[in-house]
Amino acid sequence: MLGKGVVGGGGGTKAPKPSFVSYVRPEEIHTNEKEVTEKEVTLHLLPGEQLLCEASTVLKYVQEDSCQHGVYGRLVCTDFKIAFLGDDESALDNDETQFKNKVIGENDITLHCVDQIYGVFDEKKKTLFGQLKKYPEKLIIHCKDLRVFQFCLRYTKEEEVKRIVSGIIHHTQAPKLLKRLFLFSYATAAQNNTVTDPKNHTVMFDTLKDWCWELERTKGNMKYKAVSVNEGYKVCERLPAYFVVPTPLPEENVQRFQGHGIPIWCWSCHNGSALLKMSALPKEQDDGILQIQKSFLDGIYKTIHRPPYEIVKTEDLSSNFLSLQEIQTAYSKFKQLFLIDNSTEFWDTDIKWFSLLESSSWLDIIRRCLKKAIEITECMEAQNMNVLLLEENASDLCCLISSLVQLMMDPHCRTRIGFQSLIQKEWVMGGHCFLDRCNHLRQNDKEEVPVFLLFLDCVWQLVHQHPPAFEFTETYLTVLSDSLYIPIFSTFFFNSPHQKDTNMSSPKRGFFREETDHLIKNLLGKRISKLINSSDELQDNFREFYDSWHSKSTDYHGLLLPHIEGPEIKVWAQRYLRWIPEAQILGGGQVATLSKLLEMMEEVQSLQEKIDERHHSQQAPQAEAPCLLRNSARLSSLFPFALLQRHSSKPVLPTSGWKALGDEDDLAKREDEFVDLGDV
Amino acid sequence: MASASTSKYNSHSLENESIKRTSRDGVNRDLTEAVPRLPGETLITDKEVIYICPFNGPIKGRVYITNYRLYLRSLETLSSHWRFEVDTCLFQDSSLILDVPLGVISRIEKMGGATSRGENSYGLDITCKDMRNLRFALKQEGHSRRDMFEILTRYAFPLAHSLPLFAFLNEEKFNVDGWTVYNPVEEYRRQGLPNHHWRITFINKCYELCDTYPALLVVPYRASDDDLRRVATFRSRNRIPVLSWIHPENKTVIVRCSQPLVGMSGKRNKDDEKYLDVIRETNKQISKLTIYDARPSVNAVANKATGGGYESDDAYHNAELFFLDIHNIHVMRESLKKVKDIVYPNVEESHWLSSLESTHWLEHIKLVLTGAIQVADKVSSGKSSVLVHCSDGWDRTAQLTSLAMLMLDSFYRSIEGFEILVQKEWISFGHKFASRIGHGDKNHTDADRSPIFLQFIDCVWQMSKQFPTAFEFNEQFLIIILDHLYSCRFGTFLFNCESARERQKVTERTVSLWSLINSNKEKFKNPFYTKEINRVLYPVASMRHLELWVNYYIRWNPRIKQQQPNPVEQRYMELLALRDEYIKRLEELQLANSAKLSDPPTSPSSPSQMMPHVQTHF
């Protein structure tokens, strides 16, 4: 199967970083059982976590079998999460404890995971923000991982209601300073607690060595070099300390426009063609400066346009492609389809489901991203061209497209370690503004664009279409998407490596200065594009490449292309439908086959061990290894997220009626057989 | 048998088991060798044509027409622009093959006239029942088009030309006889029938009570044959309520029938009312009988105008009536037409979802499934006996009862169980296959045609998709059933009812589809199947989980082609093989050890070095 690439170099030697795998492995279950047996429900606090406010006799709505009931308990808000502690925490059955989130419990919502808060006043639902004059009788919390919580406050003391509601609103909605991120208190308190995972060889790309290793791995070291010109962020705070440029490029060029206008290497293909990215030069009015910029760029292009470099095709991702605005609008429509308050809402939207999905455009945006990545792959693979991705800051769509291209072309990126290294290289070191894009600090809603989530959704399409080509499964991607909102992993909580280094290594260095000046609005788009194919020709090449690849049988260790036809782009059901009880298939779903596969794998392994033993001793074989997922057929499609599991086996039945057939009304009225039965 | 190398390409297409492989020399091939033929199949004609492939453009070929199939072999070797190993086309010796049973043809049209200019504008356009069209361009001179048109018309629509359907000429032999799969007495015995509430009656032995029902019926013990005759007068086409399935534990039943003949005046029939009460009383647990009328209530009301109707509250005090809002055969037919419009030849891309929605196909699937879930749930947890009908009780009723039985009874989820289910609820209870499919009939606009059985198979597919370990059969099994629904190679889906089949001596004169399938079962098995007795399956009838069955409806489009077998399945099969190998090895070792008794192990090398180790990741 997939080779576990020998990842040496800098990765393993560094200080351990918290990983985003937060689900308990089966062998760890025993430690959790002790906690479950404790009758008293206590608030579980992480190191450095502090309780801020709480309210008792809160009623949490639980949906089961299309009717709601309530569970009494305490609602608390800490500097890390909102948590509900049920008074009657019935013992969880085995299925549920098999896999359990170590950090976030069933009724925990990290502050960063809160999307919208609604209050219900006299049956009316209103968005809650700022100072409240009146306090709601019901609180509805929509989460970024698409859970929906409903708490009834009618039986709670008035002052407690005030305290908890305003506390929650303040801690989740009000703008926050970077230094207030829980990350810092956790890092200080938990410093000695971090566990080393010796297997974690994710390349972090924060040393020159890491980059050299990557150059060597992709055989890019003939034409490209790793540079340390930005060590200590002397030249530019947007770029990482170390990166790779074409070998003949003079290092002082990097300083010229603070790293703008510099072709930065992403990856090299086996045929020598490379994927490069460049952030555009600031647009200037002044003719003199324009002239300087032009000659600067001419110089750059001269370097990369002559042999040994391949012909360069420039892909301007800022024009003629997606805008961040489009992504934002699409996702906010799309997510609404899954933030479902009750059963009625679920069935009411069910009839119009496909048109609602389409009108969100989210799936179409995924298709466009995959298509763009295929086009670029075609240029590199079939036409042996270098592709230069161009974007204002080279930190949004550049990250997305370049990672997708590498995922399709480089099987190493489809291993778990390779994939994590890819994210580290293209997203974290590539300076994707996670803090702004996830709006972790609630400072500017307009900057909130789920670019990384879009990337994960594109990856999911590939994993879903070609599961054997990946070392990881969709569950890995879902867990990864959740970790975007868990502020104990530093990975997704900074705008740039510079910001992380200055804040993480020396926490006392004063307030973080918001960098707005890097958001330069204009760019030099057209002038730079040296090679623009006519769209027809491009279309043709694309078609031929795409069709011919799909006509062959798939080599999972080689080039991998997604299908992008209408019916092939699907909803990432595991992420988006996992909290909706109506959408749960009891004893079914993909998990049913996957767990059969795991069982079989275990059986084969234990047989293998037995054979080994036989060879070494005459002893009778060991007792059967305990079966991990013995009841696999009884798991639900929501596994391992099935915390809202329906406990009975009652079917869910649509409650909404039939939609008018429109022009088919005539037919609908006709009888199957037009025979007059007359009077018998 | 299709060899391994060809089966890779024809995994979606019709079976070719009994086809001999064509010779490899290619030159001077005798005509009889060029076309695969079933025993009993004869070559009628051959013509040089241009096949206009909607995906790859025109290609020159020779078409052979037999009394069973249309077979095309390309004459040019494929140029590089033929990028696809199209499913429709088996590639042999780098030529393109098209192999289409004439039974799938619903319409043949001439395109272009004597004056037609333009390349390839003169020829034939053939509409098929399996979601595709075939176009052939012919030379204008000579009478090649007229000949081909006439021969095709004659053999594709034999009934209009007083010719027999091919199934009656087919002389294939299989080592199992599919006609013995379903034996009603055995099936009812499996269900524990007769018992002291239900009896088997032979009142319909010669089809005199109801000519569209099977000879053997299960009715309440307390209802006499005379009662049955009186009830028959009040049920449309005499299709009286009879038992389909009984719950093994709570003894509630699913009963099927046609609508009562209430009419405009709201007629009542004491015998019918009493009969329903007798059915209700076989179950002591609940005081009401539940009636599911599959139709939308407006249609049920409208049916009164033509003498039909539904069970009113005043007449049937002890019954509760629900309408399931499933539309009629005409709506379903138009809906499927729209599906074809969006998938053939090109798949709608950017507006795929809204186009799909506008066909309403999945919405209909949802309603059928929802109805069946309700029936199953009522019987299983509601502990109430259920009576299901629509208008005549042979379309929607068959869908609902058979799907509910599939949810309730794990036996029907095995290959033979499913064959029995189809044989029982559809074939023996008189789903009008001849009229709904239009076997051998040229009247393609016949309003009696409707894809009701296809819709049922689609529902089964949706269930198997939601419960990938619950069914013994795989997708290929469902596809081959649908392929031979149209092919007329087997007698299984011919004729409207048992009495017609008996008159035609179908079981003596034709071969059963189950003979083909059961003699080659391995091919249709789902490796993930986990047998679970008494587990009720409730699919989720939500659009969030319903999907268009791409591998069936869009299988002709090479761009959408799914990997076969699917990679997860493939991986599982590899593991299964590895497991078997290890078990064998272990047994060998055990034997060796017991033979040597206490001898020390001699083999110095670890077996793990000789065998591939399992990769734990996937």
Side-chain angles (χ1 to χ4, degrees), chain B residues 334-552:
Chain B
E334 293 313 306
S335 174
L336 186 68
K337 253 185 208 156
K338 288 182 184 169
V339 173
K340 185 172 177 183
D341 288 344
I342 65 162
V343 301
Y344 192 88
N346 297 311
V347 178
E348 175 63 52
E349 191 160 296
S350 52
H351 296 292
W352 165 253
L353 291 168
S354 54
S355 323
L356 181 61
E357 186 172 284
S358 69
T359 68
H360 297 294
W361 182 253
L362 291 178
E363 219 167 305
H364 296 306
I365 297 275
K366 171 180 160 163
L367 282 167
V368 173
L369 280 173
T370 306
I373 294 169
Q374 278 172 270
V375 172
D377 183 44
K378 202 60 160 183
V379 170
S380 171
S381 24
K383 298 192 171 43
S384 163
S385 284
V386 163
L387 180 127
V388 183
H389 71 71
C390 47
S391 299
D392 288 310
W394 51 42
D395 293 311
R396 288 169 274 198
T397 301
Q399 289 180 332
L400 290 169
T401 54
S402 54
L403 285 170
M405 287 156 75
L406 202 60
M407 291 171 196
L408 291 164
D409 192 339
S410 58
F411 170 70
Y412 298 122
R413 294 174 218 143
S414 65
I415 288 180
E416 287 211 16
F418 189 77
E419 291 167 355
I420 287 169
L421 183 70
V422 168
Q423 203 72 43
K424 176 176 182 296
E425 287 303 298
W426 291 85
I427 297 171
S428 86
F429 272 102
H431 174 67
K432 305 205 310 177
F433 281 103
S435 313
R436 295 289 175 257
I437 310 300
H439 291 306
D441 177 61
K442 67 171 194 247
N443 184 9
H444 64 90
T445 57
D446 190 347
D448 252 0
R449 294 197 186 176
S450 186
I452 300 301
F453 187 73
L454 165 65
Q455 192 172 47
F456 159 70
I457 295 289
D458 194 334
C459 291
V460 176
W461 179 81
Q462 303 283 354
M463 281 182 69
S464 70
K465 186 100 180 125
Q466 294 193 13
F467 300 100
T469 60
F471 294 85
E472 192 194 4
F473 48 85
N474 60 16
E475 190 176 44
Q476 289 315 309
F477 175 74
L478 298 177
I479 290 176
I480 198 174
I481 290 176
L482 290 177
D483 278 340
H484 292 296
L485 172 65
Y486 305 118
S487 77
C488 295
R489 176 169 148 194
F490 301 100
T492 307
F493 298 117
L494 305 183
F495 305 104
N496 283 337
C497 55
E498 210 175 273
S499 61
R501 256 169 240 122
E502 210 151 281
R503 275 197 302 278
Q504 297 291 337
K505 299 192 168 54
V506 167
T507 53
E508 294 157 42
R509 295 168 59 208
T510 71
V511 181
S512 162
L513 169 59
W514 316 131
S515 305
L516 170 78
I517 290 175
N518 293 354
S519 59
N520 202 4
K521 250 186 185 170
E522 284 309 309
K523 208 174 157 188
F524 304 107
K525 276 189 178 163
N526 168 17
F528 293 109
Y529 177 53
T530 316
K531 199 169 174 179
E532 281 190 282
I533 317 286
N534 295 337
R535 179 169 163 223
V536 184
L537 292 189
Y538 291 122
V540 175
S542 156
M543 290 304 190
R544 272 97 164 165
H545 284 301
L546 299 181
E547 276 180 55
L548 188 77
W549 185 8
V550 168
N551 284 355
Y552 181 73

Side-chain angles (χ1 to χ4, degrees), chain B residues 557-587:
Chain B
N557 188 325
R559 291 199 177 110
I560 310 281
K561 192 172 77 174
Q562 303 278 310
Q563 289 164 44
Q564 287 294 335
N566 99 40
V568 182
E569 202 175 306
Q570 179 120 44
R571 182 91 180 94
Y572 192 69
M573 303 288 274
E574 284 165 20
L575 283 170
L576 273 175
L578 204 58
R579 181 192 66 173
D580 293 346
E581 190 195 313
Y582 282 2
I583 288 174
K584 216 177 105 201
R585 257 200 99 77
L586 206 59
E587 277 165 6

Side-chain angles (χ1 to χ4, degrees), chain A residues 658-676:
Chain A
W658 169 256
K659 201 168 69 175
L661 275 169
D663 55 336
E664 277 168 18
D665 268 354
D666 277 355
L667 284 176
K669 284 183 204 126
R670 274 171 67 184
E671 281 177 50
D672 281 356
E673 250 78 20
F674 205 78
V675 178
D676 203 317

Side-chain angles (χ1 to χ4, degrees), chain A residues 68-101:
Chain A
Q68 289 185 329
H69 67 258
V71 177
Y72 278 108
R74 251 187 329 148
L75 186 62
V76 304
C77 180
T78 74
D79 55 353
F80 171 64
K81 64 175 180 260
I82 299 164
F84 176 80
L85 309 162
D87 291 344
D88 174 36
E89 202 92 314
S90 54
L92 301 164
D93 63 41
N94 278 331
D95 284 352
E96 285 172 323
T97 45
Q98 260 190 1
F99 287 85
K100 187 181 166 192
N101 195 310

